[in-house]
Amino acid sequence: LAARIDVKTVGRRILCFDALDSTNTYAKKAAQEGAADGLVVIAAEQTGGRGRLGRAFHSPKKGLYLTALLRPDLPGAAVMPVTALAAVAATAAVERTCGLRPGIKWTNDLVLGGRKLAGILTELGLEGESGRVQYIAVGVGVNVNEAAADFPPELAPIATSLALETGAPVSRLALAAALIEELDKAYAALGGDLGVYRRAYRENCVTLGREVRILGGGAERRGLAED
């Protein structure tokens, strides 16, 4: 895979596994052990995949599960857009690989035909005194070659895969290479001018113009997503 990509930072070192409990968990442990900026961890299957708020993330062998370990020399506030950048990178990678452009469901899902195609989980470590970033683990899980029968009953009505949408198998290797290259470009923009990524996020965000619910602190607020 490393021979097929053109990158500056993300993907200079790539670790591939048949199975992991979670690529994010592995990357965070690697960060604590001194792993370098740009390490990419890929698994063919996750036995304990995680989503936001501790939810389980269905991760069978037909998908792509990838985490990029980033070590930007930036304060915590400056890296808050990283999930949005990763979402734009993932949409570009999917389009490069199979010609489909997913929508972005705020904050961290990619969708096709109203169904979930991919999820992004960003986790970070901060220095307590300075508030500067120690590491960021950006995990992207994509449903690639799953058939409808591969999804459990609770997910079947709301999930899809690239194979289901295109009607043909999709190369996980090609998708991984494209995703690493797009994440590398997005990482180079972090902390600088994000105008291109903001525009791409707005153009692809399916949440805009819709009523949303905001849950937090035991309360629920409703409103219209305008921007």
Side-chain angles (χ1 to χ4, degrees):
L1 178 59
R4 301 181 57 168
I5 60 176
D6 180 15
V7 296
K8 293 181 178 178
T9 304
V10 178
R12 289 183 298 185
R13 185 186 181 205
I14 302 172
L15 300 178
C16 297
F17 299 89
D18 288 335
L20 286 175
D21 58 346
S22 160
T23 56
N24 265 35
T25 298
Y26 188 98
K28 291 193 295 179
K29 182 179 179 182
Q32 293 162 2
E33 295 172 351
D37 190 20
L39 171 69
V40 169
V41 181
I42 300 175
E45 177 186 15
Q46 292 185 127
T47 58
R50 295 178 291 111
R52 290 178 66 242
L53 306 177
R55 299 178 182 128
F57 187 88
H58 184 60
S59 311
K61 283 189 175 181
K62 296 180 181 180
L64 172 65
Y65 315 105
L66 181 154
T67 296
L69 174 63
L70 311 178
R71 292 188 179 275
D73 184 18
L74 294 169
V79 304
M80 290 301 101
V82 70
T83 301
L85 267 66
V88 173
T91 62
V94 169
E95 186 172 41
R96 283 176 53 183
T97 305
C98 58
L100 299 176
R101 185 80 175 186
I104 301 170
K105 181 181 176 183
W106 188 85
T107 58
N108 68 321
D109 288 343
L110 302 189
V111 296
L112 277 172
R115 296 189 175 198
K116 181 171 178 175
L117 174 73
I120 299 168
L121 177 63
T122 302
E123 300 178 284
L124 60 92
L126 299 175
E127 291 181 352
E129 291 82 3
S130 68
R132 296 191 76 80
V133 175
Q134 292 180 320
Y135 67 84
I136 310 173
V138 182
V140 183
V142 185
N143 300 330
V144 182
N145 288 319
E146 288 90 342
D150 292 319
F151 295 111
E154 67 273 17
L155 295 181
I158 59 174
T160 190
S161 72
L162 292 177
L164 285 172
E165 297 296 326
T166 62
V170 173
S171 168
R172 290 189 295 173
L173 180 61
L175 179 60
L179 180 56
I180 292 169
E181 288 182 343
E182 294 296 337
L183 287 172
D184 185 59
K185 289 190 289 187
Y187 185 32
L190 187 63
D193 182 3
L194 302 181
V196 171
Y197 284 90
R198 286 196 185 96
R199 288 192 293 274
Y201 193 95
R202 287 190 186 100
E203 289 171 1
N204 291 281
C205 185
V206 300
T207 309
L208 298 184
R210 299 175 62 179
E211 183 178 329
V212 295
R213 293 185 305 148
I214 300 173
L215 306 176
E220 174 183 317
R221 299 168 63 191
R222 291 178 178 265
L224 182 69
E226 293 184 345
D227 202 356

